[in-house]
Amino acid sequence: MTRTDVPDWVTLTEGEEVLWQGHPSLRLVTPSAVVALALAIAGIALTTVLTDPSIRWFPLLGIPLGIAVVAWAYVSLVSTQYVLTSEEIYRKTGIVNQSVAQIRLDRVQNTTFSQSLTERLFSYGDITIYTAGSDTMDITLSNVPEPERVNQQLTEALDAASGVTRTRP
């Protein structure tokens, strides 16, 4: 990945490279899309039932409302971004007010990933990064697509940062 592909809120040092970047799974937009579709269908169905021309258009407001629901869900997901570099882990959240948390890999004490049954079926889950020290700051990368693969990349980055070499079976 070239330095021009790196988000502007990530500061790379000399020799540091981006190993992975992503955002929560877009599969989480599905419930919002179902609600939007239901609003649109209900709106269209109600216009055929209502006979008074002065209020017949009112149910059609469900269509733009449904589009707004899906748009908000999508923007909320893509406005949360995660970046793993060879030296740090970043999490950016927020649409209007943005918050960026970063942890140096040499501060990471442990990582875990978890998936519910639904998350396993749809291949997403959470990765929690625990840090050492008295001013502990933990970061959770929520609803990450393919969390096993991302956790493996994180483990390899941690090993590289600490100088540990592991042989894979």
mmCIF file of all heavy atoms in Angstrom, residues 33-76:
data_model
loop_
_atom_site.group_PDB
_atom_site.id
_atom_site.type_symbol
_atom_site.label_atom_id
_atom_site.label_comp_id
_atom_site.label_asym_id
_atom_site.label_seq_id
_atom_site.Cartn_x
_atom_site.Cartn_y
_atom_site.Cartn_z
ATOM 1 N N ALA A 33 -32.050 -2.078 5.715
ATOM 2 C CA ALA A 33 -32.591 -2.227 4.366
ATOM 3 C C ALA A 33 -33.946 -2.919 4.400
ATOM 4 O O ALA A 33 -34.856 -2.562 3.634
ATOM 5 C CB ALA A 33 -31.613 -3.009 3.492
ATOM 6 N N VAL A 34 -34.112 -3.881 5.295
ATOM 7 C CA VAL A 34 -35.402 -4.559 5.435
ATOM 8 C C VAL A 34 -36.463 -3.574 5.923
ATOM 9 O O VAL A 34 -37.584 -3.544 5.410
ATOM 10 C CB VAL A 34 -35.276 -5.784 6.382
ATOM 11 C CG1 VAL A 34 -36.635 -6.344 6.746
ATOM 12 C CG2 VAL A 34 -34.404 -6.855 5.742
ATOM 13 N N VAL A 35 -36.107 -2.753 6.906
ATOM 14 C CA VAL A 35 -37.041 -1.731 7.408
ATOM 15 C C VAL A 35 -37.398 -0.753 6.288
ATOM 16 O O VAL A 35 -38.568 -0.392 6.106
ATOM 17 C CB VAL A 35 -36.446 -0.983 8.620
ATOM 18 C CG1 VAL A 35 -37.255 0.254 8.969
ATOM 19 C CG2 VAL A 35 -36.357 -1.908 9.821
ATOM 20 N N ALA A 36 -36.409 -0.334 5.518
ATOM 21 C CA ALA A 36 -36.652 0.606 4.418
ATOM 22 C C ALA A 36 -37.582 -0.003 3.376
ATOM 23 O O ALA A 36 -38.503 0.663 2.888
ATOM 24 C CB ALA A 36 -35.326 1.000 3.768
ATOM 25 N N LEU A 37 -37.356 -1.259 3.040
ATOM 26 C CA LEU A 37 -38.209 -1.934 2.067
ATOM 27 C C LEU A 37 -39.634 -2.058 2.594
ATOM 28 O O LEU A 37 -40.607 -1.818 1.857
ATOM 29 C CB LEU A 37 -37.633 -3.314 1.738
ATOM 30 C CG LEU A 37 -38.338 -4.105 0.648
ATOM 31 C CD1 LEU A 37 -38.313 -3.341 -0.668
ATOM 32 C CD2 LEU A 37 -37.688 -5.467 0.480
ATOM 33 N N ALA A 38 -39.764 -2.389 3.874
ATOM 34 C CA ALA A 38 -41.098 -2.490 4.483
ATOM 35 C C ALA A 38 -41.807 -1.139 4.463
ATOM 36 O O ALA A 38 -43.011 -1.066 4.169
ATOM 37 C CB ALA A 38 -40.985 -3.013 5.908
ATOM 38 N N LEU A 39 -41.088 -0.059 4.764
ATOM 39 C CA LEU A 39 -41.683 1.279 4.724
ATOM 40 C C LEU A 39 -42.146 1.635 3.309
ATOM 41 O O LEU A 39 -43.236 2.190 3.114
ATOM 42 C CB LEU A 39 -40.691 2.329 5.225
ATOM 43 C CG LEU A 39 -40.475 2.404 6.723
ATOM 44 C CD1 LEU A 39 -39.302 3.326 7.047
ATOM 45 C CD2 LEU A 39 -41.732 2.890 7.427
ATOM 46 N N ALA A 40 -41.324 1.312 2.322
ATOM 47 C CA ALA A 40 -41.678 1.622 0.935
ATOM 48 C C ALA A 40 -42.893 0.812 0.485
ATOM 49 O O ALA A 40 -43.829 1.359 -0.113
ATOM 50 C CB ALA A 40 -40.488 1.348 0.026
ATOM 51 N N ILE A 41 -42.903 -0.482 0.780
ATOM 52 C CA ILE A 41 -44.036 -1.334 0.383
ATOM 53 C C ILE A 41 -45.309 -0.888 1.094
ATOM 54 O O ILE A 41 -46.377 -0.793 0.477
ATOM 55 C CB ILE A 41 -43.719 -2.818 0.653
ATOM 56 C CG1 ILE A 41 -42.636 -3.304 -0.319
ATOM 57 C CG2 ILE A 41 -44.959 -3.676 0.551
ATOM 58 C CD1 ILE A 41 -42.089 -4.676 -0.002
ATOM 59 N N ALA A 42 -45.206 -0.605 2.386
ATOM 60 C CA ALA A 42 -46.379 -0.147 3.147
ATOM 61 C C ALA A 42 -46.888 1.180 2.589
ATOM 62 O O ALA A 42 -48.109 1.378 2.451
ATOM 63 C CB ALA A 42 -46.034 0.001 4.622
ATOM 64 N N GLY A 43 -45.987 2.053 2.239
ATOM 65 C CA GLY A 43 -46.392 3.345 1.673
ATOM 66 C C GLY A 43 -47.120 3.189 0.358
ATOM 67 O O GLY A 43 -48.174 3.799 0.139
ATOM 68 N N ILE A 44 -46.586 2.352 -0.510
ATOM 69 C CA ILE A 44 -47.228 2.130 -1.808
ATOM 70 C C ILE A 44 -48.573 1.435 -1.616
ATOM 71 O O ILE A 44 -49.570 1.805 -2.252
ATOM 72 C CB ILE A 44 -46.289 1.323 -2.732
ATOM 73 C CG1 ILE A 44 -45.067 2.188 -3.099
ATOM 74 C CG2 ILE A 44 -47.017 0.847 -3.975
ATOM 75 C CD1 ILE A 44 -43.944 1.435 -3.761
ATOM 76 N N ALA A 45 -48.614 0.444 -0.730
ATOM 77 C CA ALA A 45 -49.873 -0.278 -0.476
ATOM 78 C C ALA A 45 -50.936 0.661 0.087
ATOM 79 O O ALA A 45 -52.107 0.597 -0.310
ATOM 80 C CB ALA A 45 -49.632 -1.443 0.472
ATOM 81 N N LEU A 46 -50.561 1.535 0.990
ATOM 82 C CA LEU A 46 -51.536 2.452 1.585
ATOM 83 C C LEU A 46 -52.088 3.459 0.566
ATOM 84 O O LEU A 46 -53.231 3.881 0.678
ATOM 85 C CB LEU A 46 -50.928 3.189 2.772
ATOM 86 C CG LEU A 46 -50.863 2.391 4.074
ATOM 87 C CD1 LEU A 46 -50.072 3.148 5.127
ATOM 88 C CD2 LEU A 46 -52.252 2.063 4.584
ATOM 89 N N THR A 47 -51.295 3.823 -0.427
ATOM 90 C CA THR A 47 -51.800 4.765 -1.432
ATOM 91 C C THR A 47 -52.901 4.136 -2.275
ATOM 92 O O THR A 47 -53.770 4.845 -2.781
ATOM 93 C CB THR A 47 -50.678 5.272 -2.366
ATOM 94 O OG1 THR A 47 -50.072 4.173 -3.022
ATOM 95 C CG2 THR A 47 -49.661 6.082 -1.611
ATOM 96 N N THR A 48 -52.856 2.812 -2.414
ATOM 97 C CA THR A 48 -53.925 2.145 -3.182
ATOM 98 C C THR A 48 -55.200 1.998 -2.360
ATOM 99 O O THR A 48 -56.286 1.891 -2.917
ATOM 100 C CB THR A 48 -53.474 0.756 -3.672
ATOM 101 O OG1 THR A 48 -53.169 -0.058 -2.555
ATOM 102 C CG2 THR A 48 -52.267 0.873 -4.587
ATOM 103 N N VAL A 49 -55.075 1.984 -1.033
ATOM 104 C CA VAL A 49 -56.229 1.825 -0.152
ATOM 105 C C VAL A 49 -56.923 3.159 0.110
ATOM 106 O O VAL A 49 -58.148 3.233 0.166
ATOM 107 C CB VAL A 49 -55.787 1.168 1.181
ATOM 108 C CG1 VAL A 49 -56.924 1.127 2.175
ATOM 109 C CG2 VAL A 49 -55.238 -0.225 0.926
ATOM 110 N N LEU A 50 -56.131 4.194 0.281
ATOM 111 C CA LEU A 50 -56.702 5.511 0.590
ATOM 112 C C LEU A 50 -57.392 6.097 -0.639
ATOM 113 O O LEU A 50 -56.854 6.052 -1.746
ATOM 114 C CB LEU A 50 -55.617 6.462 1.089
ATOM 115 C CG LEU A 50 -54.949 6.076 2.409
ATOM 116 C CD1 LEU A 50 -53.801 7.025 2.708
ATOM 117 C CD2 LEU A 50 -55.959 6.085 3.547
ATOM 118 N N THR A 51 -58.539 6.654 -0.445
ATOM 119 C CA THR A 51 -59.296 7.212 -1.571
ATOM 120 C C THR A 51 -59.312 8.734 -1.571
ATOM 121 O O THR A 51 -59.535 9.348 -2.605
ATOM 122 C CB THR A 51 -60.745 6.696 -1.544
ATOM 123 O OG1 THR A 51 -61.325 6.993 -0.280
ATOM 124 C CG2 THR A 51 -60.773 5.192 -1.790
ATOM 125 N N ASP A 52 -59.071 9.351 -0.437
ATOM 126 C CA ASP A 52 -59.083 10.807 -0.352
ATOM 127 C C ASP A 52 -57.805 11.356 -0.994
ATOM 128 O O ASP A 52 -56.700 11.127 -0.505
ATOM 129 C CB ASP A 52 -59.173 11.238 1.117
ATOM 130 C CG ASP A 52 -59.293 12.746 1.283
ATOM 131 O OD1 ASP A 52 -59.244 13.470 0.268
ATOM 132 O OD2 ASP A 52 -59.430 13.188 2.442
ATOM 133 N N PRO A 53 -57.922 12.098 -2.114
ATOM 134 C CA PRO A 53 -56.738 12.587 -2.825
ATOM 135 C C PRO A 53 -55.866 13.535 -1.986
ATOM 136 O O PRO A 53 -54.668 13.633 -2.219
ATOM 137 C CB PRO A 53 -57.301 13.333 -4.032
ATOM 138 C CG PRO A 53 -58.749 13.034 -4.088
ATOM 139 C CD PRO A 53 -59.162 12.458 -2.786
ATOM 140 N N SER A 54 -56.456 14.203 -0.991
ATOM 141 C CA SER A 54 -55.667 15.153 -0.200
ATOM 142 C C SER A 54 -54.672 14.459 0.743
ATOM 143 O O SER A 54 -53.679 15.053 1.146
ATOM 144 C CB SER A 54 -56.588 16.079 0.591
ATOM 145 O OG SER A 54 -57.327 15.322 1.537
ATOM 146 N N ILE A 55 -54.919 13.208 1.113
ATOM 147 C CA ILE A 55 -53.988 12.490 1.994
ATOM 148 C C ILE A 55 -53.393 11.240 1.339
ATOM 149 O O ILE A 55 -52.592 10.548 1.938
ATOM 150 C CB ILE A 55 -54.673 12.089 3.324
ATOM 151 C CG1 ILE A 55 -55.850 11.149 3.084
ATOM 152 C CG2 ILE A 55 -55.052 13.297 4.134
ATOM 153 C CD1 ILE A 55 -56.371 10.489 4.337
ATOM 154 N N ARG A 56 -53.748 10.976 0.099
ATOM 155 C CA ARG A 56 -53.285 9.765 -0.576
ATOM 156 C C ARG A 56 -51.764 9.740 -0.742
ATOM 157 O O ARG A 56 -51.147 8.677 -0.727
ATOM 158 C CB ARG A 56 -53.973 9.659 -1.934
ATOM 159 C CG ARG A 56 -53.782 8.311 -2.567
ATOM 160 C CD ARG A 56 -54.692 8.159 -3.737
ATOM 161 N NE ARG A 56 -54.559 6.793 -4.209
ATOM 162 C CZ ARG A 56 -54.792 6.414 -5.413
ATOM 163 N NH1 ARG A 56 -55.223 7.287 -6.291
ATOM 164 N NH2 ARG A 56 -54.642 5.168 -5.749
ATOM 165 N N TRP A 57 -51.141 10.876 -0.881
ATOM 166 C CA TRP A 57 -49.690 10.969 -1.069
ATOM 167 C C TRP A 57 -48.914 10.748 0.229
ATOM 168 O O TRP A 57 -47.735 10.405 0.212
ATOM 169 C CB TRP A 57 -49.315 12.350 -1.621
ATOM 170 C CG TRP A 57 -49.712 13.447 -0.671
ATOM 171 C CD1 TRP A 57 -50.895 14.109 -0.624
ATOM 172 C CD2 TRP A 57 -48.927 13.958 0.410
ATOM 173 N NE1 TRP A 57 -50.908 15.010 0.416
ATOM 174 C CE2 TRP A 57 -49.701 14.934 1.065
ATOM 175 C CE3 TRP A 57 -47.651 13.689 0.893
ATOM 176 C CZ2 TRP A 57 -49.237 15.649 2.170
ATOM 177 C CZ3 TRP A 57 -47.199 14.403 1.994
ATOM 178 C CH2 TRP A 57 -47.994 15.371 2.618
ATOM 179 N N PHE A 58 -49.578 10.953 1.375
ATOM 180 C CA PHE A 58 -48.902 10.901 2.673
ATOM 181 C C PHE A 58 -48.114 9.598 2.918
ATOM 182 O O PHE A 58 -46.971 9.643 3.371
ATOM 183 C CB PHE A 58 -49.911 11.172 3.791
ATOM 184 C CG PHE A 58 -49.283 11.286 5.139
ATOM 185 C CD1 PHE A 58 -48.522 12.399 5.477
ATOM 186 C CD2 PHE A 58 -49.433 10.276 6.077
ATOM 187 C CE1 PHE A 58 -47.926 12.506 6.717
ATOM 188 C CE2 PHE A 58 -48.837 10.371 7.329
ATOM 189 C CZ PHE A 58 -48.085 11.489 7.645
ATOM 190 N N PRO A 59 -48.671 8.428 2.633
ATOM 191 C CA PRO A 59 -47.910 7.186 2.885
ATOM 192 C C PRO A 59 -46.637 7.061 2.041
ATOM 193 O O PRO A 59 -45.721 6.325 2.410
ATOM 194 C CB PRO A 59 -48.888 6.071 2.538
ATOM 195 C CG PRO A 59 -50.233 6.688 2.626
ATOM 196 C CD PRO A 59 -50.045 8.130 2.257
ATOM 197 N N LEU A 60 -46.563 7.795 0.936
ATOM 198 C CA LEU A 60 -45.367 7.724 0.098
ATOM 199 C C LEU A 60 -44.145 8.338 0.786
ATOM 200 O O LEU A 60 -43.012 8.151 0.336
ATOM 201 C CB LEU A 60 -45.618 8.398 -1.244
ATOM 202 C CG LEU A 60 -46.612 7.671 -2.157
ATOM 203 C CD1 LEU A 60 -46.841 8.459 -3.432
ATOM 204 C CD2 LEU A 60 -46.128 6.261 -2.469
ATOM 205 N N LEU A 61 -44.374 9.047 1.881
ATOM 206 C CA LEU A 61 -43.247 9.578 2.654
ATOM 207 C C LEU A 61 -42.399 8.457 3.245
ATOM 208 O O LEU A 61 -41.254 8.674 3.630
ATOM 209 C CB LEU A 61 -43.750 10.497 3.771
ATOM 210 C CG LEU A 61 -44.367 11.813 3.327
ATOM 211 C CD1 LEU A 61 -44.897 12.575 4.529
ATOM 212 C CD2 LEU A 61 -43.362 12.639 2.553
ATOM 213 N N GLY A 62 -42.954 7.250 3.290
ATOM 214 C CA GLY A 62 -42.195 6.096 3.769
ATOM 215 C C GLY A 62 -41.004 5.780 2.889
ATOM 216 O O GLY A 62 -39.996 5.247 3.367
ATOM 217 N N ILE A 63 -41.084 6.119 1.602
ATOM 218 C CA ILE A 63 -39.977 5.814 0.679
ATOM 219 C C ILE A 63 -38.734 6.644 1.014
ATOM 220 O O ILE A 63 -37.665 6.077 1.250
ATOM 221 C CB ILE A 63 -40.431 5.974 -0.785
ATOM 222 C CG1 ILE A 63 -41.506 4.927 -1.094
ATOM 223 C CG2 ILE A 63 -39.235 5.840 -1.736
ATOM 224 C CD1 ILE A 63 -42.196 5.107 -2.427
ATOM 225 N N PRO A 64 -38.831 7.988 1.059
ATOM 226 C CA PRO A 64 -37.619 8.731 1.433
ATOM 227 C C PRO A 64 -37.174 8.468 2.872
ATOM 228 O O PRO A 64 -35.980 8.489 3.173
ATOM 229 C CB PRO A 64 -37.989 10.205 1.220
ATOM 230 C CG PRO A 64 -39.466 10.242 1.134
ATOM 231 C CD PRO A 64 -39.917 8.889 0.686
ATOM 232 N N LEU A 65 -38.132 8.178 3.753
ATOM 233 C CA LEU A 65 -37.776 7.844 5.130
ATOM 234 C C LEU A 65 -36.962 6.552 5.165
ATOM 235 O O LEU A 65 -35.948 6.458 5.859
ATOM 236 C CB LEU A 65 -39.031 7.709 5.989
ATOM 237 C CG LEU A 65 -38.801 7.391 7.461
ATOM 238 C CD1 LEU A 65 -37.997 8.483 8.130
ATOM 239 C CD2 LEU A 65 -40.134 7.200 8.172
ATOM 240 N N GLY A 66 -37.387 5.568 4.385
ATOM 241 C CA GLY A 66 -36.649 4.303 4.295
ATOM 242 C C GLY A 66 -35.259 4.498 3.727
ATOM 243 O O GLY A 66 -34.288 3.916 4.213
ATOM 244 N N ILE A 67 -35.158 5.335 2.694
ATOM 245 C CA ILE A 67 -33.843 5.623 2.104
ATOM 246 C C ILE A 67 -32.945 6.302 3.139
ATOM 247 O O ILE A 67 -31.760 5.991 3.247
ATOM 248 C CB ILE A 67 -33.998 6.485 0.835
ATOM 249 C CG1 ILE A 67 -34.656 5.649 -0.267
ATOM 250 C CG2 ILE A 67 -32.657 7.031 0.369
ATOM 251 C CD1 ILE A 67 -35.085 6.448 -1.483
ATOM 252 N N ALA A 68 -33.515 7.210 3.930
ATOM 253 C CA ALA A 68 -32.737 7.894 4.972
ATOM 254 C C ALA A 68 -32.242 6.913 6.030
ATOM 255 O O ALA A 68 -31.106 7.024 6.504
ATOM 256 C CB ALA A 68 -33.573 8.994 5.609
ATOM 257 N N VAL A 69 -33.069 5.936 6.390
ATOM 258 C CA VAL A 69 -32.679 4.933 7.389
ATOM 259 C C VAL A 69 -31.484 4.121 6.878
ATOM 260 O O VAL A 69 -30.498 3.916 7.592
ATOM 261 C CB VAL A 69 -33.872 3.999 7.728
ATOM 262 C CG1 VAL A 69 -33.421 2.765 8.492
ATOM 263 C CG2 VAL A 69 -34.929 4.757 8.509
ATOM 264 N N VAL A 70 -31.539 3.675 5.632
ATOM 265 C CA VAL A 70 -30.442 2.891 5.058
ATOM 266 C C VAL A 70 -29.189 3.757 4.924
ATOM 267 O O VAL A 70 -28.077 3.317 5.240
ATOM 268 C CB VAL A 70 -30.836 2.288 3.691
ATOM 269 C CG1 VAL A 70 -29.645 1.670 2.994
ATOM 270 C CG2 VAL A 70 -31.928 1.257 3.874
ATOM 271 N N ALA A 71 -29.356 4.980 4.460
ATOM 272 C CA ALA A 71 -28.214 5.873 4.292
ATOM 273 C C ALA A 71 -27.517 6.126 5.625
ATOM 274 O O ALA A 71 -26.283 6.091 5.711
ATOM 275 C CB ALA A 71 -28.652 7.189 3.661
ATOM 276 N N TRP A 72 -28.291 6.366 6.675
ATOM 277 C CA TRP A 72 -27.702 6.613 7.992
ATOM 278 C C TRP A 72 -26.939 5.386 8.482
ATOM 279 O O TRP A 72 -25.829 5.508 9.005
ATOM 280 C CB TRP A 72 -28.776 7.010 9.009
ATOM 281 C CG TRP A 72 -28.165 7.283 10.347
ATOM 282 C CD1 TRP A 72 -28.168 6.466 11.446
ATOM 283 C CD2 TRP A 72 -27.411 8.435 10.721
ATOM 284 N NE1 TRP A 72 -27.484 7.050 12.481
ATOM 285 C CE2 TRP A 72 -27.003 8.261 12.056
ATOM 286 C CE3 TRP A 72 -27.052 9.594 10.059
ATOM 287 C CZ2 TRP A 72 -26.251 9.206 12.735
ATOM 288 C CZ3 TRP A 72 -26.301 10.537 10.749
ATOM 289 C CH2 TRP A 72 -25.916 10.338 12.057
ATOM 290 N N ALA A 73 -27.520 4.208 8.319
ATOM 291 C CA ALA A 73 -26.847 2.978 8.752
ATOM 292 C C ALA A 73 -25.536 2.786 7.985
ATOM 293 O O ALA A 73 -24.502 2.454 8.577
ATOM 294 C CB ALA A 73 -27.761 1.771 8.560
ATOM 295 N N TYR A 74 -25.567 3.026 6.686
ATOM 296 C CA TYR A 74 -24.370 2.865 5.862
ATOM 297 C C TYR A 74 -23.288 3.867 6.252
ATOM 298 O O TYR A 74 -22.126 3.500 6.461
ATOM 299 C CB TYR A 74 -24.732 3.010 4.376
ATOM 300 C CG TYR A 74 -23.531 2.953 3.478
ATOM 301 C CD1 TYR A 74 -22.943 1.734 3.154
ATOM 302 C CD2 TYR A 74 -22.968 4.117 2.953
ATOM 303 C CE1 TYR A 74 -21.825 1.679 2.339
ATOM 304 C CE2 TYR A 74 -21.860 4.066 2.140
ATOM 305 C CZ TYR A 74 -21.279 2.849 1.838
ATOM 306 O OH TYR A 74 -20.174 2.795 1.043
ATOM 307 N N VAL A 75 -23.656 5.127 6.361
ATOM 308 C CA VAL A 75 -22.686 6.169 6.707
ATOM 309 C C VAL A 75 -22.103 5.917 8.097
ATOM 310 O O VAL A 75 -20.901 6.104 8.321
ATOM 311 C CB VAL A 75 -23.313 7.577 6.599
ATOM 312 C CG1 VAL A 75 -22.427 8.643 7.209
ATOM 313 C CG2 VAL A 75 -23.609 7.905 5.144
ATOM 314 N N SER A 76 -22.928 5.461 9.022
ATOM 315 C CA SER A 76 -22.439 5.147 10.368
ATOM 316 C C SER A 76 -21.380 4.045 10.326
ATOM 317 O O SER A 76 -20.381 4.109 11.045
ATOM 318 C CB SER A 76 -23.582 4.712 11.273
ATOM 319 O OG SER A 76 -24.465 5.776 11.487
#
